[in-house]
Amino acid sequence: MSESGARGDMEPMRAAFSSDKLLVVFALSLGVAVSLSLLADPVVRSIGLMEMGLALGVVVAGTGALAHAVMTPERMIGAPRTSLVMLAMAASFLLSALIGCVHGDSPASVIRSTTPYLMAFLALPLAITGRLKLNTTGLILTVMVVGFTQAVYEISLFLMQGSSTVTQTLVSRITMIDARVTLPLAAAGNGVALALIGRGRWATMVGVVATAIFGLAALVTLTRTLVIVHGLTVLVAMALWSSLALVQRRPGVLVRNTGWLSLSMAMLWVVIMLPAFTTVPQAFQVRQAMETEKPHDMRQAPETGKSETSEDEPEIRRIEGLLKAKVGQEPASRTLGNAKSVHEAMVAILRNHGIKVLEDIVQQYAELGGKGTSSKILADILVNFSATVPGSSELGGGRISDEWLPAFHTYLAGNPATWTFGIGAGTPFMTRSGEPRTYIHNLPLYLLLYNGAVGLVLYILLQVGLVLSFFRRVVRDNDAVAFSCLSILVTLNCFALLFAVHKLIGFNLVLAIVYSCFLAPRPVGHVNTCALPQAAAARS
């Protein structure tokens, strides 16, 4: 062979080698970006330098790998139907951005509304070239490690509050201290932890302990959705284990893994009974009951015609006397100077002097013949206090009436074009309270409004296709990566039904990992030790 011919044969090999190296950089940058997403501002109204930096780093790495992959002669000879739906879904977001620009929305608003969603499709161009050969196990384990970090942070943040009473636990909710505790990383990580159970002694022990910690982290947030999602992830694992036991005719798999899961739940129960966490179950129950109560209207006058202020004036003076004995005359006068009712006075004490002083004042006030028992007064105060916390209108039914219904009515008020393709990214709609918004705490409704019926249908088809594909991999090969991805998909989609996390880069980076695991080809010779005999025969 001539020297020039040898050089010609080496060029594609060098390009492929360079491509593989850059694919490693792409995978690493994706994992690092997910890790750093814990540091980014989770507010959905804006994208700061941190968020843009995360996005840019992954895009640059992916673009470099794509450029080298395109230069190789190995091109994709066929694409799965789900990949084509994924491509159409990405095009739907780009079309939504174009519509927003046509409608006159500011470029900044369009970019803020589109960039996070495009992050989920970072691996798609690489897959089309047929060069997506990633370490999917490492990417999935990154999700668990980052989620575990968030869970430990949530538990540490709860312990730092030093809450010793149910009321103090309610008032010191960590979701009001740091919004990052509601990121879906811990919930997604739990799916990976459950996938480790039954895959060797050490992997099983890691999975058991991690699942218990993820459950504890969900409880200390006092957020119902996080607890429901954690339970849902457990149900998904049980369903997959049941499917494996049925298809492989090995009921011992279900029995053994269920036993390990029971051990994890027992560990969680033991920890929650420790003095540092004993107030959590009661506080969680009280908070759910508080959400069904109607906050006291301090501005409403009684039907007798007398103002509430005039009726409550003697009671306020009595409370002020009790507070003076506790904290001094000047602080007491300053705290209650603007109080016009008993409720306002108690909330002012809570805000300025903390729960310990409040509980003492309420107890003394009730013993002196004040309005109601101490427990009832505290309940009324906490309901009223929660109504004054920013974002409380989004609790319970308030989110439906204030946000979801106005968003749906905006969609219905459109025309055939907007019904089909959406109103465009960055275009605000008005909530019932009159606030313009470009986000919705419900992903399907967001897609319907901003991407139209086409975008919503594409997303449903994409998620169903991914779930079915991962499910087939699990029952055929007992694939741990597919097990994890299926759990993560269910977790994130359920999470996005009640939170606006779908507009965060961290959420979409986790989706990018799941999509990458779907698009990456699996080694032809790989057969899991627990794979079905017919699968092993088919691959041999």
Side-chain angles (χ1 to χ4, degrees):
M1 181 182 296
S2 66
E3 185 177 348
S4 60
R7 282 200 302 268
D9 292 339
M10 289 295 293
E11 288 302 321
M13 295 178 61
R14 289 197 187 99
F17 180 68
S18 299
S19 173
D20 290 339
K21 286 196 299 183
L22 284 172
L23 281 171
V24 173
V25 175
F26 169 74
L28 289 175
S29 64
L30 188 57
V32 171
V34 173
S35 304
L36 294 179
S37 64
L38 273 174
L39 304 177
D41 184 2
V43 177
V44 297
R45 297 180 181 86
S46 64
I47 297 177
L49 293 177
M50 173 71 73
E51 290 83 355
M52 292 303 296
L54 296 178
L56 184 62
V58 180
V59 169
V60 168
T63 303
L66 175 61
H68 279 271
V70 169
M71 291 187 293
T72 66
E74 302 174 14
R75 298 297 177 87
M76 193 169 186
I77 58 176
R81 284 173 295 180
T82 304
S83 301
L84 299 178
V85 175
M86 193 181 298
L87 181 62
M89 188 71 233
S92 173
F93 284 110
L94 292 174
L95 178 60
S96 179
L98 178 61
I99 294 173
C101 292
V102 171
H103 287 171
D105 297 325
S106 68
S109 179
V110 173
I111 291 173
R112 284 197 299 267
S113 298
T114 307
T115 301
Y117 296 105
L118 294 179
M119 292 298 100
F121 304 98
L122 287 170
L124 190 56
L126 302 178
I128 293 176
T129 66
R131 297 292 304 159
L132 189 61
K133 298 179 181 179
L134 299 176
N135 183 349
T136 54
T137 302
L139 284 176
I140 283 297
L141 289 177
T142 298
V143 175
M144 191 186 81
V145 171
V146 175
F148 187 82
T149 303
Q150 183 191 12
V152 171
Y153 172 70
E154 291 170 354
I155 296 170
S156 302
L157 191 61
F158 172 82
L159 293 175
M160 287 171 59
Q161 307 312 308
S163 303
S164 58
T165 66
V166 174
T167 308
Q168 190 174 12
T169 302
L170 286 167
V171 175
S172 303
R173 282 184 62 206
I174 59 176
T175 54
M176 298 299 181
I177 299 172
D178 191 342
R180 287 176 295 183
V181 302
T182 58
L183 288 172
L185 301 174
N190 188 47
V192 185
L194 288 167
L196 295 177
I197 294 178
R199 301 181 186 278
R201 180 186 304 173
W202 291 108
T204 297
M205 291 309 301
V206 170
V208 167
V209 174
T211 297
I213 292 176
F214 285 130
L216 179 62
L219 284 172
V220 298
T221 64
L222 302 183
T223 303
R224 179 171 48 193
T225 302
L226 289 173
V227 176
I228 292 175
V229 167
H230 178 83
L232 185 63
T233 310
V234 172
L235 292 178
V236 170
M238 293 288 294
L240 292 176
W241 292 333
S242 300
S243 300
L244 284 169
L246 181 63
V247 174
Q248 297 183 2
R249 298 176 183 175
R250 296 174 58 192
V253 173
L254 176 61
V255 174
R256 182 175 63 253
N257 291 349
T258 302
W260 286 116
L261 182 60
S262 300
L263 175 62
S264 179
M265 297 298 103
M267 292 171 58
L268 175 59
W269 184 83
V270 170
V271 173
I272 210 69
M273 291 297 106
L274 295 176
F277 300 102
T278 51
T279 60
V280 172
Q282 292 175 284
F284 195 92
Q285 293 176 358
V286 172
R287 182 172 182 271
Q288 304 316 306
M290 284 171 56
E291 289 187 0
T292 63
E293 297 290 335
K294 184 177 180 180
H296 179 77
D297 189 350
M298 292 180 282
R299 298 168 297 179
Q300 181 180 2
E303 296 180 357
T304 58
K306 297 180 180 179
S307 67
E308 189 175 355
T309 301
S310 62
E311 276 193 354
D312 282 3
E313 187 65 30
E315 302 297 328
I316 295 174
R317 299 285 73 82
R318 181 186 299 182
I319 295 171
E320 185 176 359
L322 296 173
L323 187 60
K324 286 179 180 178
K326 193 76 176 176
V327 301
Q329 181 172 354
E330 184 179 347
S333 301
R334 185 170 58 251
T335 299
L336 303 179
N338 297 322
K340 298 180 177 60
S341 68
V342 170
H343 293 277
E344 285 191 2
M346 294 298 187
V347 170
I349 294 174
L350 175 60
R351 288 185 179 279
N352 290 278
H353 302 286
I355 190 61
K356 290 291 188 182
V357 173
L358 174 67
E359 289 183 341
D360 291 342
I361 296 298
V362 168
Q363 183 66 35
Q364 296 175 39
Y365 175 70
E367 291 175 354
L368 292 175
K371 295 183 176 181
T373 63
S374 59
S375 58
K376 184 179 184 304
I377 295 171
L378 275 176
D380 289 340
I381 294 168
L382 291 176
V383 172
N384 196 43
F385 176 77
S386 65
T388 65
V389 174
S392 63
S393 61
E394 296 174 352
L395 295 174
R399 181 173 294 168
I400 296 176
S401 59
D402 186 62
E403 182 185 78
W404 293 2
L405 289 179
F408 187 64
H409 291 156
T410 302
Y411 173 78
L412 294 178
N415 52 58
T418 58
W419 294 337
T420 306
F421 301 108
I423 65 175
T427 303
F429 72 96
M430 301 300 294
T431 65
R432 189 183 64 171
S433 60
E435 176 190 355
R437 280 191 185 174
T438 57
Y439 64 92
I440 305 174
H441 291 80
N442 184 285
L443 179 55
L445 185 55
Y446 177 90
L447 292 173
L448 181 65
L449 180 61
Y450 286 97
N451 295 57
V454 171
L456 178 59
V457 170
L458 285 173
Y459 188 80
I460 293 173
L461 290 176
L462 173 60
Q463 300 306 308
V464 171
L466 290 171
V467 167
L468 291 178
S469 176
F470 287 131
F471 180 76
R472 284 193 291 266
R473 294 187 192 182
V474 172
V475 297
R476 184 186 63 200
D477 300 328
N478 193 12
D479 189 337
V481 172
F483 190 115
S484 302
C485 289
L486 199 157
S487 297
I488 291 173
L489 276 180
V490 174
T491 298
L492 294 184
N493 279 286
C494 291
F495 208 102
L497 290 175
L498 295 172
F499 282 81
V501 291
H502 54 86
K503 205 169 183 179
L504 303 179
I505 285 182
F507 178 94
N508 288 284
L509 285 174
V510 174
L511 277 183
I513 289 178
V514 174
Y515 294 170
S516 298
C517 293
F518 167 76
L519 294 168
R522 301 179 66 232
V524 176
H526 169 75
V527 178
N528 190 284
T529 54
C530 297
L532 295 177
Q534 56 267 35
R539 291 175 177 267
S540 62

